[in-house]
Amino acid sequence: MEIFKYMEQYDYEQLVFCQDKESGLKAIIAIHDTTLGPALGGTRMWMYESEDAAIEDALRLARGMTYKNAAAGLNLGGGKAVIIGDPRKDKNEAMFRAFGRFIQGLNGRYITAEDVGTTVADMDIIYEETDYVTGISPAFGSSGNPSPVTAYGVYRGMKAAAKEAFGSDSLEGKVVAVQGVGNVAYNLCRHLHEEGTKLIVTDINKEAVQRVVEQFGATAVDPNDIYGVDCDIFAPCALGGIINDQTIPQLKAKVIAGAANNQLREARHGDIIHEMGIVYAPDYVINAGGVINVADELYGYNRERAMKKVEQIYNNIEKVIEIAKRDGIPTYQAADRLAEERIAKMRQSRSQFLQNGQHILSRRRTR
Ligand SMILES: NC(=O)c1ccc[n+]([C@@H]2O[C@H](COP(=O)([O-])OP(=O)(O)OC[C@H]3O[C@@H](n4cnc5c(N)ncnc54)[C@H](O)[C@@H]3O)[C@@H](O)[C@H]2O)c1
Ligand SMILES: CC(C)C[C@H](N)C(=O)O
C-alpha cells in the first residue's frame, strides 16, 4: 500500500503505529482532519487479514468520523483507532493500559471511545492512563454504553425520513424491516414497538431474534429474506455494504434508515436508490447519536443535554433532504456537502482568526 499517496488523496493528517511487545498490542491510530477540533472516534478491535487491511480500515473509518462529527454539528474532527486481534481471546489489561499511554502521547489530538470489539470496561482501563477517552462508566460520571443513545437517534432520524416519504412522521402502523437486532437495533425496536410499529426482524443470532419476537411481537424471517419483505422502511443495523446490486432489486421499502455504518457498497448505489424514489437517511447522519452522547463527556456529562442534541438528528436528516432537493442530488451526496461546507467555513474562519493576531500576541507574551 502506498500510504502517503492514499493519505494525500483524502488529505489525512497523521497515522500512528503503536506496538507493545509485552501485552501484544498492535494498534493504529488514524487522524483524518482536526479543523473542527480534536479527532474523536472509537477503537475497533478486529482480526484483520493483513496489516494493510488494518491500515485501510483505520483510515477509512477515521475519514468517516470527520464527516459524522461535522454533520452532527460537533466541534470535533475525525479519527479512529484499530487494535489488531481477536476481541474474544486477545484482550488483556496491560494491552489497554499501553494503548492508553499511546493516546496520552498524542496530547489530545485524538480522543477514543467504543467501537466494534471494544466495551465500556476497555475504556475504563484506558482511562487509567489518559483523559482522552470517552464512553467510560457512569460510575466515573460518564455516559457509558453509547448503543441505546445511537438507537434513539436512529429512531428520530427514521421519523424525519418517514415524513418526507409518507407525509407524516408517525410510525404507528408502519412496517419496519430490521436487519440485525444487536445492541443498537434491540433498543430501536423498543422505541418502534412503543409507537405501534409492526416489526419484521432478522439476525444470524437466534437468541437476539427470539428476544425481540417475545418482547415486541416482531415477526422473524431468514437473514436472506429481509431485503424483499413487504415493508415501508428498511432498517439496516448489522453490516456495511448491504445496499448493492444484489439487494436493491429486492427492496420494497420507500425509506432506508438504519444504524449500520457504510451501508452503500459503492457511491453509485446511492444514485440508484435515489432514482428509484427511495428516501435514504445517510448512515453517518442518522447513526451519530453514540458519538454525540460520548462527546458530551468533554463538557462534563449531562444526559439531558446530550439527549437534546441527539433529538436534533431529526432536524439534521431534514436538512440533508432539503439540500438534496435544493441541489438536485441524492441524499448521500447532500450529507457530504453539509459536512464539507461546515469544515470549509471553519477552516477559513480559523485561518482568519490566526492572521488577526492570536499567535502573534501569544509570541509577544513569551518574550
Ligand atoms: N453501537 C453504536 O453506538 C453504534 C454507533 C454507530 C454505528 N453503529 C453501527 O451499527 C451497527 C450495529 O451496531 P451494534 O452495536 O448494534 O452491533 P452488534 O454487534 O451488537 O449488532 C449487530 C447484529 O447484527 C447481527 N448480524 C451480523 N451479520 C448479520 C447478517 N448477515 N444478517 C443479519 N444479522 C447479522 C449480529 O448477530 C448482531 O446481533 C454496526 O454496523 C455498527 O458499526 C453502532
Ligand atoms: C465514538 C463512538 C461512540 C462512535 C461509534 N463507534 C460510531 O461509529 O459512530
Side-chain angles (χ1 to χ4, degrees):
M1 180 183 190
E2 288 185 87
I3 294 178
F4 277 114
K5 196 169 167 194
Y6 188 94
M7 286 178 77
E8 201 178 341
Q9 185 183 357
Y10 295 108
D11 211 4
Y12 285 89
E13 293 180 11
Q14 195 173 4
L15 192 62
V16 184
F17 292 82
C18 314
Q19 192 279 137
D20 182 69
K21 200 170 159 187
E22 288 302 314
S23 65
L25 176 76
K26 286 187 178 57
I28 300 161
I29 300 170
I31 297 177
H32 175 243
D33 187 292
T34 58
T35 305
L36 297 180
L40 172 60
T43 296
R44 178 164 295 194
M45 186 162 180
W46 195 253
M47 288 175 295
Y48 290 98
E49 279 173 12
S50 64
E51 288 178 10
D52 272 1
I55 296 166
E56 268 175 47
D57 208 31
L59 288 166
R60 189 180 55 86
L61 291 165
R63 183 162 171 261
M65 291 310 297
T66 297
Y67 281 80
K68 188 180 294 197
N69 294 342
L74 299 172
N75 295 317
L76 290 162
K80 202 101 176 186
V82 302
I83 296 178
I84 301 172
D86 183 342
R88 289 164 304 182
K89 293 199 309 247
D90 298 335
K91 283 184 184 179
N92 62 71
E93 186 185 355
M95 171 185 278
F96 284 99
R97 293 285 290 250
F99 184 53
R101 289 193 293 277
F102 281 112
I103 293 173
Q104 179 64 22
L106 290 169
N107 204 22
R109 277 179 52 70
Y110 170 68
I111 303 167
T112 200
E114 294 89 348
D115 195 68
V116 176
T118 59
T119 62
V120 176
D122 301 330
M123 297 307 125
D124 286 350
I125 300 173
I126 293 172
Y127 184 52
E128 293 293 323
E129 300 287 348
T130 182
D131 276 339
Y132 304 123
V133 52
T134 56
I136 47 181
S137 290
F140 296 114
S142 292
S143 67
N145 179 6
S147 301
V149 189
T150 301
Y152 183 60
V154 173
Y155 168 66
R156 294 283 302 160
M158 186 183 283
K159 284 176 85 65
K163 191 170 164 210
E164 175 64 17
F166 310 117
S168 157
D169 71 5
S170 170
L171 298 174
E172 192 182 353
K174 291 274 179 288
V175 180
V176 179
V178 186
Q179 180 185 43
V181 279
N183 288 318
V184 175
Y186 167 77
N187 289 286
L188 173 65
C189 288
R190 180 167 47 80
H191 290 299
L192 293 172
H193 177 66
E194 280 166 10
E195 191 167 334
T197 308
K198 293 181 187 131
L199 297 166
I200 302 176
V201 300
T202 196
D203 199 295
I204 49 172
N205 176 344
K206 290 204 166 55
E207 282 161 23
V209 171
Q210 201 52 29
R211 189 167 63 151
V212 290
V213 167
E214 279 169 15
Q215 294 185 20
F216 309 132
T219 304
V221 297
D222 188 80
N224 294 322
D225 296 338
I226 195 72
Y227 307 104
V229 295
D230 259 319
C231 65
D232 300 295
I233 300 171
F234 174 49
C237 297
L239 312 162
I242 46 78
I243 301 173
N244 57 47
D245 292 334
Q246 283 71 46
T247 59
I248 291 174
Q250 302 175 49
L251 295 175
K252 298 201 174 72
K254 291 268 174 298
V255 170
I256 300 174
N261 276 315
N262 306 319
Q263 292 170 23
L264 303 173
R265 183 162 297 169
E266 293 169 38
R268 68 183 176 84
H269 295 119
D271 301 329
I272 298 173
I273 55 175
H274 172 70
E275 277 153 24
M276 288 164 72
I278 294 175
V279 178
Y280 170 58
D283 43 20
Y284 66 75
V285 181
I286 198 170
N287 73 16
V291 75
I292 294 171
N293 191 49
V294 299
D296 197 80
E297 288 180 27
L298 304 171
Y299 300 89
Y301 185 62
N302 179 315
R303 176 90 179 170
E304 206 181 313
R305 181 177 59 204
M307 293 310 279
K308 271 200 185 129
K309 283 190 211 152
V310 173
E311 274 187 20
Q312 293 297 313
I313 288 178
Y314 186 107
N315 309 61
N316 296 346
I317 293 292
E318 278 188 325
K319 219 183 288 174
V320 165
I321 292 171
E322 226 173 82
I323 295 173
K325 283 187 186 164
R326 183 195 70 194
D327 298 352
I329 54 175
T331 51
Y332 81 91
Q333 282 178 15
D336 285 359
R337 199 161 284 186
L338 177 72
E340 283 163 5
E341 281 175 4
R342 181 160 179 251
I343 293 167
K345 276 187 196 144
M346 290 305 132
R347 188 171 285 148
Q348 197 183 20
S349 87
R350 193 196 255 194
S351 67
Q352 284 161 358
F353 182 59
L354 287 173
Q355 278 159 15
N356 290 346
Q358 197 214 28
H359 69 296
I360 295 172
L361 289 177
S362 60
R363 251 179 30 207
R364 246 190 212 164
R365 272 201 298 273
T366 59
R367 270 186 199 146

